[in-house]
Amino acid sequence: MRVVILEDYEEVSRWAALHIAERIQEYRPGTARPFVLGLPTGSTPLGTYRELIRLYGERKISFANVVTFNMDEYMGLGEDHPQSYRRFMMDNFFSHIDIDRKNIHTLDGLAPDSGAECLAYEEAIRAAGGIELFLGGMGNDGHLAFNEPGSSLGSRTRVKTLTGETRIANARFFGGDPQRVPATALTVGVGTVMDAREVLVLVSGYQKARALRAVVEEGINHMWTLSCLQTHQCAIIVCDREAVDELKVRTVRYFRDIEKQPQGRL
């Protein structure tokens, strides 16, 4: 696991966007060999999306041959609902770049058969050749996508009941009322994310410090689902100074020293 420690949220966003852009450029995607990118929603990736839009506007990157799969979607919300994750992605990213709409994949919160929808999503990822890079964020309790504490580390795309803590955290998008936040969601599984050839996770703020300590310094534990990254062959956590507030001084010193050296295999 590689842990990149930067000063603030803005630096985290710029670093992540440049890394994604460089990976796409190095891959040299084409119509027959697209770059497959997994994407999250929420407030954390917004800065990264803004930076990617800027890079696109400066003609430093194209998304014409990029295929995307989003992590999750609330059950019961259609794609045009103001708080659906499909709408979030269109408003904050997809509408501002040159991605082909047929290359955008999101889970359908109104699917009549949610089980079949989840199976079809997994098959679509496989048919696309697997995810090259999965961008993600981390919840205050260490969850990844909607894989709440206690989720199986081998889980696949499925219906998941959301905890009260998650609904409270997301209430800011629903007028501040946790009861208006859907109680269930469709989400990729931990195993789905771990199948990606690279996983890049953004972590920012003091409120994430306790979870980051558990993920980085403690053992693999399904109560901190992001700790699964400890076994991934190419995992990067990009975090700011506030997020490492509970890490040991020696841990912080170690990862900062590593970043000063030429980067080899993780």
Side-chain angles (χ1 to χ4, degrees):
M1 181 193 296
R2 180 181 174 190
V3 178
V4 179
I5 303 169
L6 302 171
E7 182 61 24
D8 53 28
Y9 174 76
E10 288 70 27
E11 284 194 18
V12 168
S13 299
R14 284 194 295 271
W15 193 101
L18 286 170
H19 181 79
I20 293 168
E22 288 172 1
R23 288 282 285 105
I24 293 172
Q25 290 168 338
E26 291 169 359
Y27 191 86
R28 297 173 182 260
T31 54
R33 185 174 173 266
F35 187 95
V36 184
L37 180 63
L39 295 173
T41 52
S43 55
T44 300
L46 282 174
T48 299
Y49 291 151
R50 285 193 292 268
E51 287 295 311
L52 286 170
I53 292 167
R54 180 183 63 80
L55 292 171
Y56 164 71
E58 295 174 356
R59 299 185 178 181
K60 294 179 179 178
I61 187 67
S62 170
F63 297 88
N65 292 308
V66 172
V67 171
T68 65
F69 287 89
N70 262 81
M71 280 187 159
D72 38 34
E73 181 59 275
Y74 289 116
M75 287 192 70
L77 300 189
E79 62 179 45
D80 292 326
H81 188 283
Q83 300 307 328
S84 78
Y85 285 159
R86 171 84 179 199
R87 175 74 174 272
F88 175 97
M89 294 302 300
M90 295 302 298
D91 290 348
N92 292 289
F93 190 41
F94 295 145
S95 294
H96 306 280
I97 58 175
D98 62 340
I99 191 167
D100 189 326
R101 296 297 188 266
K102 76 175 187 301
N103 288 338
I104 297 171
H105 297 83
T106 55
L107 287 155
D108 182 1
L110 295 179
D113 186 335
S114 56
E117 172 71 6
C118 293
L119 289 173
Y121 207 65
E122 289 279 339
E123 180 54 37
I125 292 173
R126 283 191 292 271
I131 293 173
E132 193 67 27
L133 187 155
F134 222 132
L135 177 67
M138 181 185 73
N140 294 358
D141 55 8
H143 75 251
L144 176 65
F146 274 134
N147 295 288
E148 306 279 28
S151 294
S152 166
L153 299 185
S155 56
R156 313 304 303 188
T157 303
R158 67 207 188 285
V159 176
K160 193 73 178 68
T161 300
L162 307 185
T163 66
E165 183 175 347
T166 293
R167 296 177 75 191
I168 290 170
N170 291 352
R172 64 190 186 279
F173 302 115
F174 291 83
D177 183 2
Q179 294 305 312
R180 293 176 58 191
V181 180
T184 55
L186 303 174
T187 181
V188 296
V190 179
T192 313
V193 177
M194 289 290 283
D195 280 350
R197 286 176 277 280
E198 180 177 1
V199 181
L200 173 63
V201 176
L202 314 174
V203 183
S204 176
Y206 288 118
Q207 72 277 15
K208 305 289 179 75
R210 177 170 171 262
L212 187 62
R213 182 193 66 203
V215 166
V216 173
E217 294 185 338
E218 298 177 13
I220 299 170
N221 189 328
H222 68 299
M223 296 308 291
W224 304 94
T225 51
L226 192 66
S227 65
C228 65
L229 291 190
Q230 294 179 29
T231 65
H232 199 282
Q233 293 186 45
C234 190
I236 306 174
I237 295 176
V238 190
C239 52
D240 60 17
R241 182 174 50 81
E242 292 182 352
V244 301
D245 196 53
E246 293 202 24
L247 291 184
K248 295 173 184 174
V249 172
R250 181 178 296 178
T251 302
V252 173
R253 186 184 299 125
Y254 168 79
F255 283 114
R256 280 183 167 156
D257 181 64
I258 286 294
E259 287 306 308
K260 296 176 184 177
Q261 313 303 322
Q263 291 300 315
R265 292 184 63 83
L266 298 176

